[in-house]
Amino acid sequence: MSNRMINILVPMISIFLGLLVGAIVMLISDYNPITGYMALWNGIFGDSYAIGETIRQISPYLLAGLAVAFAFRTGLFNIGVEGQLIVGWFAAAYVGMAFDLPKIIHLPFALIAAAAAGALWGLVPGILKATLKVHEVIVTIMMNYIALHVVNALIKTLSGGGFKLERIHESASLRSEFLSNLTDYSTLHYGIFVALAMVVVMWFILEKTKTGFELKSVGYNDNAASYAGMSANKNIILAMVISGAFAGLGGAMEALGTFGNMSSMGGFTGIGFDGIAVALLGANTPLGVIFGATLFGSLKYGANNMPNEAGIPVEIVSIIIALVIFFVACGYIIRVGLIRLRNKKEAK
């Protein structure tokens, strides 16, 4: 069994175990798991509308996963993707609302603003990590809460005491009449193409550039990288900035595509935190993140159909999704088991 085969088997076994234990939970709760999973399938692939909504749901998960994976690949643990996504959402919504420009200028401007806001939110923990050796996990967790409450305060100020920004101008929108009509008037938009383009960008940076080589080298061993003449501090900061930019674009998918505005939030979206599981499931590779985001986007949207079609309570649906995340997080244990199995076969 090759390492490549193990890399393929680990996420597949994780998903299978999550769905298997989820089926057991449904049985114990006196619900039919076959009916439940059929409802999940129909919620994802039941008709063109469901397919469109599922693809739309995948876009922010893809970018959140890229943000986490990029930081992982450079030796950092960016827990602040949620906060970076929120400030990116706000920046895109504000630029889309406050300016009225030609579409060829306005839409890229709004996307760049979202990426810049996310990058700025990643810059702070990057600087603290590089200069004062403050662990990025602690700083990014705190930055999530700062982002949530600062954005809520800005929305209240800009809306004159209200709880929602005005809708963005059409010139800043990612909405697509063609894609909507193709999927029975779903909210599918061009954001999925932006997200897929960022997959290529991440791959190109890490695999085809000197900067990417330095980022990975610092992540593997910052002392060795410094000895080789690389600036560890500069690369730590740059890694967090790029990771934050990916996350900020994830917020732009919601601002410019799905909702067309931004409202005050009572809590986190959860997309940024799920991005950790997406990255783990995808083994922190650009191609793998596509797979992980597709799974989570499909589960999140398709699960909405389980209470309607199968009568399964929302709480049990949440347990099933959590179980999949749990077994994804246990991927290392599954990997060790597969390696031991391979070694035993080779010994024979």
Side-chain angles (χ1 to χ4, degrees), residues 59-75:
S59 303
Y61 281 101
L62 184 49
L63 287 157
L66 289 176
V68 177
F70 191 91
F72 272 144
R73 290 287 296 276
T74 56

Side-chain angles (χ1 to χ4, degrees), residues 188-248:
L188 179 61
H189 52 77
Y190 288 125
I192 187 64
F193 300 112
V194 175
L196 290 172
M198 291 304 104
V199 172
V200 178
V201 168
M202 175 176 163
W203 169 82
F204 184 78
I205 291 174
L206 290 177
E207 305 299 335
K208 298 296 180 181
T209 66
K210 175 189 171 187
T211 300
F213 177 78
E214 290 188 0
L215 288 169
K216 289 186 292 183
S217 298
V218 170
Y220 287 136
N221 190 320
D222 58 345
N223 292 321
S226 297
Y227 184 76
M230 303 174 194
S231 173
N233 289 346
K234 182 195 79 173
N235 282 291
I236 287 170
I237 294 170
L238 182 60
M240 287 300 296
V241 166
I242 296 174
S243 176
F246 284 134

Side-chain angles (χ1 to χ4, degrees), residues 265-325:
M265 296 179 172
F268 295 120
T269 67
I271 296 171
F273 298 120
D274 287 341
I276 299 170
V278 169
L280 288 173
L281 187 62
N284 301 318
T285 63
L287 188 61
V289 168
I290 294 177
F291 173 75
T294 300
L295 173 69
F296 274 84
S298 300
L299 282 175
K300 286 289 184 178
Y301 184 76
N304 294 329
N305 192 48
M306 293 174 75
N308 299 329
E309 189 174 316
I312 297 174
V314 176
E315 291 78 7
I316 293 180
V317 173
S318 298
I319 290 171
I320 294 167
I321 294 174
L323 283 167
V324 174
I325 296 173

Side-chain angles (χ1 to χ4, degrees), residues 16 27 30 39 45 97 123 125 133 141 146 149 184 191 202 221 251 276 307:
F16 174 75
L27 279 172
D30 202 26
F45 303 109
M97 170 197 74
L123 175 66
K133 306 303 177 187
I141 288 173
I146 295 170
H149 296 296
D184 198 19
M202 175 176 163
N221 190 320
I276 299 170

Side-chain angles (χ1 to χ4, degrees):
M1 190 186 302
S2 65
N3 287 331
R4 180 184 293 271
M5 181 58 68
I6 290 174
N7 289 337
I8 294 171
L9 284 175
V10 168
M12 291 179 66
I13 293 172
S14 299
I15 296 165
F16 174 75
L17 289 174
L19 294 176
L20 178 62
V21 178
I24 294 171
V25 170
M26 283 190 273
L27 279 172
I28 294 172
S29 305
D30 202 26
Y31 293 101
N32 187 335
I34 296 175
T35 305
Y37 285 137
M38 282 300 296
L40 175 64
W41 177 267
N42 291 335
I44 301 170
F45 303 109
D47 52 35
S48 59
Y49 178 85
I51 293 171
E53 290 296 330
T54 299
I55 296 173
R56 186 267 306 162
Q57 186 77 50
I58 289 168
S59 303
Y61 281 101
L62 184 49
L63 287 157
L66 289 176
V68 177
F70 191 91
F72 272 144
R73 290 287 296 276
T74 56
L76 299 168
F77 196 0
N78 185 6
I79 306 284
V81 170
E82 180 72 23
Q84 293 151 15
L85 184 144
I86 289 172
V87 296
W89 186 338
F90 173 80
Y94 176 76
V95 170
M97 170 197 74
F99 299 91
D100 190 6
L101 302 166
K103 192 175 186 72
I104 196 171
I105 298 173
H106 202 181
L107 180 54
F109 182 25
L111 290 171
I112 291 169
L120 179 64
W121 223 250
L123 175 66
V124 176
I127 290 175
L128 292 175
K129 169 79 172 182
T131 58
L132 301 176
K133 306 303 177 187
V134 180
H135 203 289
E136 70 275 9
V137 169
I138 303 299
V139 180
T140 50
I141 288 173
M142 292 190 292
M143 293 291 285
N144 286 335
Y145 288 93
I146 295 170
L148 177 66
H149 296 296
V150 166
V151 165
N152 280 345
L154 288 170
I155 290 172
K156 189 172 183 179
T157 300
L158 292 171
S159 62
F163 300 97
K164 182 187 292 186
L165 294 179
E166 295 178 18
R167 287 194 65 82
I168 62 171
H169 293 285
E170 189 62 31
S171 56
S173 178
L174 283 167
R175 288 286 182 92
S176 165
E177 186 177 347
F178 169 73
L179 293 176
S180 180
N181 292 336
L182 192 65
T183 53
D184 198 19
Y185 303 103
S186 74
T187 55
L188 179 61
H189 52 77
Y190 288 125
I192 187 64
F193 300 112
V194 175
L196 290 172
M198 291 304 104
V199 172
V200 178
V201 168
M202 175 176 163
W203 169 82
F204 184 78
I205 291 174
L206 290 177
E207 305 299 335
K208 298 296 180 181
T209 66
K210 175 189 171 187
T211 300
F213 177 78
E214 290 188 0
L215 288 169
K216 289 186 292 183
S217 298
V218 170
Y220 287 136
N221 190 320
D222 58 345
N223 292 321
S226 297
Y227 184 76
M230 303 174 194
S231 173
N233 289 346
K234 182 195 79 173
N235 282 291
I236 287 170
I237 294 170
L238 182 60
M240 287 300 296
V241 166
I242 296 174
S243 176
F246 284 134
L249 283 172
M253 300 301 99
E254 304 295 76
L256 308 178
T258 306
F259 297 102
N261 60 7
M262 187 177 193
S263 304
S264 294
M265 296 179 172
F268 295 120
T269 67
I271 296 171
F273 298 120
D274 287 341
I276 299 170
V278 169
L280 288 173
L281 187 62
N284 301 318
T285 63
L287 188 61
V289 168
I290 294 177
F291 173 75
T294 300
L295 173 69
F296 274 84
S298 300
L299 282 175
K300 286 289 184 178
Y301 184 76
N304 294 329
N305 192 48
M306 293 174 75
N308 299 329
E309 189 174 316
I312 297 174
V314 176
E315 291 78 7
I316 293 180
V317 173
S318 298
I319 290 171
I320 294 167
I321 294 174
L323 283 167
V324 174
I325 296 173
F326 172 79
F327 281 104
V328 167
C330 294
Y332 178 75
I333 298 173
I334 298 170
R335 182 181 297 276
V336 169
L338 289 172
I339 291 172
R340 286 185 177 178
L341 181 64
R342 180 187 66 182
N343 292 341
K344 282 183 180 180
K345 287 184 177 180
E346 289 177 352
K348 290 179 181 179

